[in-house]
Amino acid sequence: MTESAKFVLGDKNAELQLRHGTIGPDVVDIAALYKNTGLFTYDPGFTSTASCESKITYIDGDEGVLLHRGYSIDQLAERGDFLETCYLLLYGELPTASEKEDFVYRVTRHTMVHEQMSRFYTGFRRDAHPMAVMVGSVGALSAFYHDSTDITDPHQRMVASIRMIAKTPTLAAMAYKYHVGQPFVYPRNDLTYAENFLHMCFAVPCEPYHINPTLAKAMDRIFILHADHEQNASTSTVRLAGSSGANPFACIAAGIACLWGPAHGGANEAALNMLGEIGTKDRIPEFIARAKDKNDPFRLMGFGHRVYKNYDPRAKIMQQTCHEVLDELGIKDDPLLEVAMELEHIALHDDYFIEKKLYPNVDFYSGITLKALGFPTEMFTVLFAVARTVGWIAQWNEMIEDPQQRIGRPRQLYTGAPRRDYLAIDQRA
Ligand code: SDX
């Protein structure tokens, strides 16, 4: 017996099917609403709207829970590694030892990019924001890998998926090297994913680069924390771009463009800049007051979340990782960390933040950690994009394989001018 909700408005009515998930809120299927009533629903920002059915990631915002294919983020971050998480997101199960070995082999051997990409980079200004370079270079992959752009071919989709996961770290490292004026460093197949990324970013031809295992582990964990997050703005962008049949490289480039915004992935860069602007603990009250001031557009970057109305579970792990990295590097009393911890303490005891359920999110501590690892602020969102590529790709594959999949085409509430006739220019007021 299919449960349903009855919609009645005057003489208009519709029987709307209720659908149940494994966990989390049920949904009312409104597909029949317009056909039966001539009415649209209205939900800018999609605060009450499920755009799709998915099996990949589940978030409980009230409980501060994040599951990838049913496994909690804290267990994956503590006991797994990033490529294992990539396999889980793509294939739905944790890999066996042989499956993992094969997957790592495949990803590792796709880390190089076409040699002409090096010349592509020389077209950018050196002081271009690395995210601008990433949008351009990831989109440009469509111009190099035509043999994996047929989205109707499962084999080509998987090849494109592996290429994206493998090549975004290389493109990101090239964006950093180009930005700082150092030569590109080729990927190495004898290194792990995180080790390889640190090596491509920080090795120089003049001397051997020593990989610090604690820092490599922290980098790998940061990738895990950012891998996927349900239907966030950039993932929804990738899904919508993909729904038109655009090739996967173009869809991921669209996701990177959306992630760049300071309300989304750009918040890690904005959060660190904010901590720098605050500077010292005694200036925190001034910024807290600004965050509460309705007339001031200022917001505490790294705070608040559309879904989490409790502590972002990733932020807890990120804070712990931050301390591990600072300890390993012997950085004592980091002024930014001092300000961050005091700001968090004050905000979590302030009625405004308590009432609006504003907690630190994944971006609050990531900036301090990434700065300590040696990355400039403008690289923070690039690192987020490197990690999130697997989430975007997994969600894109799920959408393509969804039998209900159609091109995404929302409607609107039109409040513009009613029909009117053209006026010759000498008749206009
Ligand atoms: C990410 O969606 C995802 O899953 C994203 C992400 C992922 O992994 O993909 O988790 C990554 O994007 C994390 C969020 C990073 N962004 C920031 O840290 C930027 C600062 N945060 C805000 O801009 C805001 O909290 C959002 C954008 C994150 C969420 O915005 P919502 O859900 O639209 O909430 P809102 O803007 O309607 O705010 C609700 C109220 C408002 O006050 P009222 O109008 O009700 O009086 O809370 C206030 C806001 O003014 N508020 C804040 C605030 N965030 C919300 N006030 C001060 N500082 C803040 N940070």
Side-chain angles (χ1 to χ4, degrees), residues 58 70 105 167 198 235 247 274 344 364 377 390:
Y58 174 72
Y105 180 90
K167 295 183 194 305
L198 292 175
T235 297
N247 77 68
M274 175 193 73
E344 177 188 4
F364 188 63
T377 313
V390 63

Side-chain angles (χ1 to χ4, degrees), residues 229 263-264 294 299-300 302-303 305-306 314 361 388:
H229 212 237
H264 190 13
K294 279 278 153 258
R299 289 193 165 182
L300 285 187
F303 262 80
H305 199 277
R306 171 62 58 77
R314 301 168 298 174
N361 58 49
R388 186 52 58 87

Side-chain angles (χ1 to χ4, degrees), residues 284-298:
I284 290 174
E286 170 196 336
F287 284 82
I288 294 267
R290 284 187 56 194
K292 298 178 188 177
D293 180 354
K294 279 278 153 258
N295 300 316
D296 188 331
F298 172 80

Side-chain angles (χ1 to χ4, degrees), residues 16-291:
L16 304 175
Q17 186 188 358
L18 212 55
R19 294 192 58 197
H20 304 286
T22 319
I23 40 180
D26 295 339
V27 299
V28 177
D29 185 334
I30 58 168
L33 185 70
Y34 178 60
K35 186 176 59 181
N36 295 337
T37 68
L39 295 168
F40 294 145
T41 58
Y42 180 70
D43 184 16
F46 312 115
T47 52
S48 303
T49 297
S51 61
C52 63
E53 175 181 339
S54 180
K55 296 174 170 47
I56 298 173
T57 291
Y58 174 72
I59 303 171
D60 183 327
D62 294 327
E63 297 302 315
V65 168
L66 168 57
L67 305 178
H68 289 317
R69 303 286 192 178
Y71 296 98
S72 68
I73 190 64
D74 50 302
Q75 289 187 9
L76 291 171
E78 281 157 25
R79 299 166 64 181
D81 62 36
F82 180 63
L83 283 187
E84 183 179 75
T85 300
C86 290
Y87 185 97
L88 175 66
L89 290 169
L90 279 174
Y91 294 103
E93 297 295 335
L94 288 170
T96 61
S98 61
E99 286 166 338
K100 182 170 180 188
E101 187 183 353
D102 168 64
F103 185 71
V104 170
Y105 180 90
R106 285 190 287 143
V107 171
T108 302
R109 276 149 190 83
H110 277 283
T111 48
M112 279 178 69
V113 294
H114 193 292
E115 192 60 16
Q116 280 183 213
M117 283 300 280
S118 307
R119 288 170 46 199
F120 182 84
Y121 272 63
T122 56
F124 292 109
R125 282 174 48 148
R126 288 278 183 180
D127 61 352
H129 193 291
M131 278 298 277
V133 174
M134 283 300 281
V135 172
S137 57
V138 170
L141 291 178
S142 324
F144 288 91
Y145 298 105
H146 308 105
D147 62 337
S148 62
T149 52
D150 176 357
I151 62 166
T152 63
D153 177 350
H155 172 71
Q156 289 200 30
R157 288 205 304 272
M158 196 38 75
V159 170
S161 302
I162 296 294
R163 279 175 166 158
M164 285 300 343
I165 295 166
K167 295 183 194 305
T168 36
T170 307
L171 295 175
M174 289 169 70
Y176 171 63
K177 285 305 206 185
Y178 188 75
H179 190 60
V180 296
Q182 291 182 358
F184 297 139
V185 174
Y186 286 101
R188 275 181 37 187
N189 294 350
D190 60 324
L191 300 178
T192 67
Y193 193 90
E195 289 171 347
N196 191 33
F197 181 65
L198 292 175
H199 178 262
M200 289 191 289
C201 287
F202 300 124
V204 288
C206 334
E207 58 188 29
Y209 174 71
H210 166 65
I211 290 167
N212 179 319
T214 303
L215 303 189
K217 175 73 183 154
M219 188 77 259
D220 190 86
R221 191 184 303 148
I222 290 168
F223 285 149
I224 294 173
L225 295 179
H226 289 82
D228 189 51
H229 212 237
E230 199 205 69
Q231 306 311 318
N232 58 84
S234 53
T235 297
S236 300
T237 300
V238 170
R239 279 180 170 260
L240 195 57
S243 73
S244 75
N247 77 68
F249 305 108
C251 294
I252 299 302
I256 294 173
C258 176
L259 185 74
W260 195 358
H264 190 13
N268 54 17
E269 176 177 356
L272 197 84
N273 291 337
M274 175 193 73
L275 293 174
E277 190 186 350
I278 295 173
T280 53
K281 288 194 278 189
D282 61 310
R283 293 195 62 203
I284 290 174
E286 170 196 336
F287 284 82
I288 294 267
R290 284 187 56 194

